[in-house]
């Protein structure tokens, strides 16, 4: 397993700096370049690169991320997907280049053979991407209605598994700290299947309580603020189990609980999502749902290359499974 020392050596900073960056310590005074370098090194060292060699491809692919650089560093989910694309592209000898949605125009896009769109795009954005006349594969949502190949994770099954696990451990008061996202252009709220499944499954077991659900932006600061709000509003009725929308949010949730001297997992059990590198370095280490972001990126590139070879291929929706990684933050 990669250690904080390994990350520090690779990034060229001290162990304490790595620890504070991985825990999103806002009191640490370091430049954004250093923060990005440490987070990227931690993710890359966690990622197991494959050594397959395939004949070189002449294709050039554009990776279109919907998040800004700053947003990407506060929630590393999309960065992990990008690594999966880049690693598979290196094995295939395919050239990839990251471009922002705002920077795309018909002139610049001409040099590419296809687009991998990573994130949650609204109708205006998808329509624009399609207008360039290039093959497009989307990662994150179901875009079959647009006749586009797409890949997403199975977020419904792990929600039911998490709730069942809490109940099996004697926890029937279950809360959720959920993330909220808006599309860039139309500012539309993005539906989170985890919230829908959480609500429906708890209602089916007659355990649903809408006062136990808090939502805000993804990221550690939001997680910190939302858990503080829950602690203040619920007091002794604070749920004994919480499902958290992302590991980054969970870092903030942990900080809030620790500042209030609430024991994890003795008083509150936490289970989050994504299994980015930081999940292993928190104290306690996070129980989390491992989302196979690297596989999503790899399959997206393969789908796009198939689409380039066969433009008339029937569009596909691929749903990638997940795994629950049991660590110290839950019973």
């Amino acid at each position: 397993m990669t250690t904080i020392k390994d990350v520090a050596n690779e990034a060229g900073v001290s162990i304490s700096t790595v620890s504070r960056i991985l825990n999103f310590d806002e009191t640490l005074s370091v430049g954004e370049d250093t923060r990005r370098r440490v987070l990227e090194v931690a993710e890359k060292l966690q990622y197991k690169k494959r050594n397959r060699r395939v004949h070189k491809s002449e294709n050039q692919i554009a990776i279109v991320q919907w998040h800004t650089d700053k947003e990407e560093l506060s929630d590393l989910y999309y960065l992990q997907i990008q690594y999966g694309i880049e690693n598979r592209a290196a094995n295939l000898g395919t050239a990839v280049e990251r471009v922002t949605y705002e920077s795309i125009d018909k002139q610049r896009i001409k040099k590419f053979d296809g687009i991998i769109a990573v994130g949650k795009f609204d109708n205006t954005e998808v329509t624009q991407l399609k207008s360039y006349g290039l093959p497009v594969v989307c990662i994150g949502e179901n875009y079959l209605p647009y006749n586009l190949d797409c890949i997403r994770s199975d977020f419904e099954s792990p929600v039911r598994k998490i709730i069942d696990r809490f109940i099996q451990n004697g926890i029937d008061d279950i809360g959720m700290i959920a993330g909220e996202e808006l599309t860039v252009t139309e500012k539309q709220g993005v539906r989170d299947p985890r919230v829908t499944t959480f609500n429906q499954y708890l209602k089916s077991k007659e355990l649903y309580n809408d006062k136990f659900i808090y939502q805000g932006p993804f990221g550690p600061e939001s997680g910190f603020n939302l858990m503080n709000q829950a602690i203040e509003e619920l007091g002794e009725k604070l749920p004994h189990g919480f499902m958290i929308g992302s590991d980054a949010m969970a870092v903030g949730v942990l900080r809030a609980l620790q500042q209030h001297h609430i024991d994890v997992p003795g008083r509150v059990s936490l289970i989050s999502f994504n299994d980015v590198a930081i999940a292993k370095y928190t104290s306690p280490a996070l129980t989390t749902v491992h989302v196979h972001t690297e596989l999503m990126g790899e399959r997206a590139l393969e789908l796009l290359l198939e689409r380039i070879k066969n433009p008339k291929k029937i569009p596909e929706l691929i749903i990638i499974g997940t795994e629950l990684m049991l660590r110290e933050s839950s019973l």
Side-chain angles (χ1 to χ4, degrees):
M1 174 183 166
T2 302
T3 65
I4 287 183
K5 183 178 180 181
D6 296 328
V7 177
N9 289 339
E10 184 77 15
V13 297
S14 69
I15 292 175
S16 63
T17 296
V18 170
S19 178
R20 293 174 71 183
I21 288 175
L22 292 179
N23 283 281
F24 294 96
D25 186 343
E26 296 177 356
T27 66
L28 177 64
S29 179
V30 296
E32 285 301 307
D33 288 345
T34 300
R35 191 178 299 275
R36 171 174 282 276
R37 185 169 71 252
V38 168
L39 291 170
E40 288 186 345
V41 165
E43 293 302 328
K44 287 179 178 178
L45 289 179
Q46 174 178 257
Y47 186 72
K48 297 178 176 62
K49 292 188 175 181
R50 291 156 174 79
N51 296 316
R52 289 178 290 177
R53 286 291 174 188
V54 186
H55 294 297
K56 186 172 182 178
S57 164
E58 298 300 326
N59 297 118
Q60 293 191 66
I61 306 302
I63 303 174
V64 181
Q65 289 268 25
W66 79 317
H67 271 176
T68 64
D69 287 347
K70 185 175 181 180
E71 289 171 328
E72 198 172 79
L73 288 184
S74 68
D75 192 338
L76 304 171
Y77 172 76
Y78 295 107
L79 192 63
Q80 282 191 324
I81 292 174
Q82 181 179 318
Y83 290 155
I85 298 170
E86 292 173 347
N87 187 60
R88 188 71 180 118
N91 288 330
L92 295 175
T94 300
V96 295
E97 180 181 334
R98 179 184 166 183
V99 297
T100 62
Y101 176 79
E102 292 80 6
S103 71
I104 295 178
D105 57 51
K106 288 188 176 181
Q107 192 61 35
R108 185 181 184 191
I109 209 72
K110 285 181 179 178
K111 72 173 184 177
F112 297 107
D113 300 293
I115 296 171
I116 298 178
V118 184
K120 315 291 173 57
F121 297 90
D122 56 38
N123 179 69
T124 298
E125 294 158 352
V126 175
T127 300
Q128 180 179 335
L129 291 173
K130 290 190 67 176
S131 73
Y132 299 129
L134 298 177
V136 178
V137 171
C138 298
I139 305 179
E141 290 286 294
N142 178 4
Y143 291 97
L144 283 182
Y146 295 93
N147 290 318
L148 294 178
D149 294 304
C150 41
I151 296 175
R152 74 171 183 88
S153 287
D154 170 23
F155 282 129
E156 293 86 353
S157 299
V159 171
R160 291 187 285 268
K161 186 179 293 186
I162 289 169
I163 291 172
D164 288 341
R165 181 172 180 82
F166 279 143
I167 294 172
Q168 289 165 7
N169 283 284
I171 297 173
D172 59 9
D173 53 337
I174 303 169
M176 185 177 190
I177 304 289
E180 289 181 323
E181 295 176 302
L182 296 175
T183 60
V184 176
T185 303
E186 298 180 6
K187 304 301 180 185
Q188 291 183 349
V190 177
R191 173 185 171 274
D192 189 335
R194 290 170 294 187
V195 176
T196 304
T197 305
F198 181 87
N199 294 346
Q200 292 175 344
Y201 198 55
L202 280 181
K203 286 177 181 178
S204 74
K205 294 182 175 294
E206 299 183 349
L207 295 175
Y208 177 76
N209 187 335
D210 61 358
K211 294 180 180 179
F212 292 169
I213 300 174
Y214 292 82
Q215 289 186 267
F218 282 97
E221 183 178 357
S222 175
F224 177 77
N225 292 334
L226 292 172
M227 180 50 76
N228 272 326
Q229 183 182 347
I231 292 169
E232 291 170 7
E233 292 180 355
L234 299 175
E236 292 300 316
K237 294 183 179 179
L238 186 73
H240 287 75
F242 270 96
M243 189 174 79
I244 315 296
S246 73
D247 297 330
M249 292 188 85
V251 170
V253 168
L254 273 174
R255 189 164 72 245
L257 290 167
Q258 289 165 352
Q259 287 186 7
H260 284 84
H261 307 290
I262 297 173
D263 183 61
V264 177
R267 171 59 179 84
V268 174
S269 281
L270 302 177
I271 300 179
S272 58
F273 276 81
N274 296 345
D275 196 25
V276 297
I278 58 173
K280 301 177 182 67
Y281 300 119
T282 58
S283 181
L286 289 171
T287 293
T288 184
V289 174
H290 181 81
V291 179
H292 292 278
T293 47
E294 70 286 350
L295 180 58
M296 293 168 68
E298 291 173 358
R299 287 296 294 123
L301 182 66
E302 292 164 358
L303 267 180
L304 184 59
L305 295 178
E306 291 172 16
R307 171 66 56 188
I308 291 171
K309 290 180 180 178
N310 181 12
K312 295 184 179 181
K313 183 178 74 71
I314 301 298
E316 297 179 49
L317 166 63
I318 296 177
I319 300 177
I320 305 293
T322 57
E323 297 177 79
L324 182 60
M325 311 299 291
L326 298 175
R327 299 196 182 102
E328 300 164 1
S329 70
S330 69
L331 297 176

